[in-house]
Amino acid sequence: MQRRSVLSLAGATLAPAVIPVLGHAADTLTELRLDYATYSPVSLVLKKFGWLEEDLKRDGIAVKWVFSAGSNRALEYLNANSIDIGSSAGLAALLAKANGNPIRTPYIFSRPEWTALVVPKDSPIKTLADLKGKKIAATKGTDPYLFLLRALQTVKLHRSDIEHVGLQHADGRAALEQGRVDAWAGLDPMMAASELDAGSRLLYRNVAFNTYGFLNVREDFLARQPALVKRVIAAYERARLWTIANTSEAARILSEEAKVSLQVALLQLKLRTDLSQPQPSAEHIKALQAAAPILLEEQLVKPGTDLVKTVEALVDTRFAQGLIKA
């Protein structure tokens, strides 16, 4: 692992012309490691066009992209110091933070409806109450898994009332369509593909139970490389604005990367992805604090964990100010 040093430059602004050049001391960072994911279409756009590589090349900094199959993978990579910046769902980030993952969130990459509870098209299951005793696939440590627990809670069911089958998202879809599980806590674009290609049915939807897309940074990296993190956010902003202005083309990029049809990609990007709120705010803090009790009730964190303070320690509402355009 290459050694990394502190950069003492002032914070960057969005305009590339005034972003400060990083220093060239002997111990300067030479590689930035960040993830990309099909549940974060903006990350695919940024990777596709190489805007971050173009910006950092002048400082001799290479960009290493690591694929995240789900929030759990991104958070594992961050915790293991395998990446510096990674994308996950908000509630999954809170769970990780509460359990010791040293991360902070200075940017919101989307407000999605990326998860729902899915059943086969011919399933006799009609209501959430019908899930009692059933096999349900979900990726532990991700928004779909936590969505499942919150959904069950609305009909007074708990994790112990179902048979949880721990599978990564793509495997969960396969298990559903092959009849090996009764339901699946889905994730787009696999969920949209299952709907359109296999006729799978969304049993339960709740936009409020889908937490925001969090761009997380290791705390030590954020402290040592604040100017570089601001440049990453500026690049994300460029990709976000391009995606809003070129949704159909962004859907083609998503389609190619995720190996799904253009129709599936358009369903995810046009109907289930809101890119209008990238600045972390009191709204995101409030949403996480409302969702947090499920972590204690299902014993996913240590008893007595102060989740209110953990949320405040996770969501950075000030770092990206000045970098984000309307």
Side-chain angles (χ1 to χ4, degrees):
M1 191 69 65
Q2 294 171 329
R3 295 173 62 199
R4 296 162 180 244
S5 64
V6 179
L7 297 177
S8 58
L9 297 171
T13 62
L14 184 60
V18 294
I19 292 177
V21 176
L22 303 179
H24 291 281
D27 201 22
T28 295
L29 180 74
T30 58
E31 182 179 76
L32 170 69
R33 308 162 302 166
L34 71 166
D35 78 338
Y36 67 104
T38 56
Y39 54 84
S40 174
V42 171
S43 73
L44 304 183
V45 170
L46 183 55
K47 177 175 178 289
K48 173 77 173 180
F49 289 114
W51 292 326
L52 193 54
E53 288 89 338
E54 180 184 327
D55 176 42
L56 299 184
K57 183 178 180 180
R58 60 195 170 115
D59 298 304
I61 300 175
V63 177
K64 179 180 179 181
W65 292 98
V66 177
F67 178 69
S68 289
S71 293
N72 60 326
R73 291 287 184 257
L75 292 163
E76 286 166 8
Y77 298 152
L78 285 163
N79 199 36
N81 195 19
S82 298
I83 60 175
D84 308 303
I85 300 172
S87 46
S88 77
L91 191 54
L94 177 61
L95 173 60
K97 177 80 168 178
N99 286 324
N101 199 330
I103 56 174
R104 194 155 173 80
T105 305
Y107 186 78
I108 306 297
F109 64 80
S110 73
R111 171 61 166 118
E113 185 192 3
W114 52 21
T115 187
L117 297 186
V118 190
V119 294
K121 62 181 179 181
D122 57 354
S123 173
I125 296 172
K126 302 299 181 185
T127 69
L128 285 174
D130 295 337
L131 293 175
K132 186 172 183 178
K134 297 296 192 293
K135 290 183 178 180
I136 306 176
T139 309
K140 196 170 184 180
T142 67
D143 221 34
Y145 177 71
L146 298 168
F147 180 95
L148 166 63
L149 299 182
R150 296 178 76 188
L152 292 173
Q153 191 179 61
T154 66
V155 291
K156 296 182 169 34
L157 294 178
H158 299 279
R159 184 172 42 167
S160 58
D161 292 314
I162 56 114
E163 183 179 342
H164 171 235
V165 181
L167 295 171
Q168 197 62 44
H169 301 299
D171 297 326
R173 175 195 173 185
L176 179 82
E177 294 177 3
Q178 294 166 7
R180 292 185 282 117
V181 295
D182 301 296
W184 168 50
L187 181 73
D188 273 341
M190 285 81 74
M191 183 171 70
S194 191
E195 281 182 86
L196 296 182
D197 299 342
S200 299
R201 175 166 51 89
L202 301 189
L203 173 71
Y204 179 75
R205 300 174 69 174
N206 188 332
V207 175
F209 282 4
N210 287 254
T211 56
Y212 295 82
F214 277 30
L215 191 68
N216 308 298
V217 185
R218 287 183 52 82
E219 287 180 333
D220 63 335
F221 188 82
L222 186 62
R224 291 185 293 111
Q225 305 282 0
L228 181 53
V229 174
K230 288 190 175 188
R231 288 167 74 170
V232 172
I233 292 174
Y236 256 88
E237 273 296 279
R238 182 177 179 182
R240 179 183 72 90
L241 295 173
W242 185 91
T243 301
I244 291 171
N246 302 275
T247 307
S248 295
E249 182 59 29
R252 289 189 184 91
I253 294 170
L254 171 60
S255 172
E256 293 170 3
E257 187 67 48
K259 296 178 174 58
V260 297
S261 70
L262 182 58
Q263 186 180 13
V264 166
L266 286 168
L267 173 59
Q268 176 185 348
L269 198 52
K270 283 195 171 184
L271 299 182
R272 295 180 182 167
T273 304
D274 179 358
L275 300 175
S276 66
Q277 303 178 62
Q279 172 66 55
S281 67
E283 176 183 338
H284 303 102
I285 290 176
K286 183 178 178 180
L288 273 192
Q289 290 176 342
I294 193 70
L295 304 182
L296 285 168
E297 291 161 13
E298 292 290 345
Q299 300 179 343
L300 300 175
V301 296
K302 292 180 181 179
T305 299
D306 190 337
L307 291 174
V308 171
K309 287 187 177 179
T310 306
V311 170
E312 293 171 351
L314 173 66
V315 181
D316 191 327
T317 60
R318 299 183 62 184
F319 188 86
Q321 288 180 358
L323 297 173
I324 293 171
K325 293 184 177 181

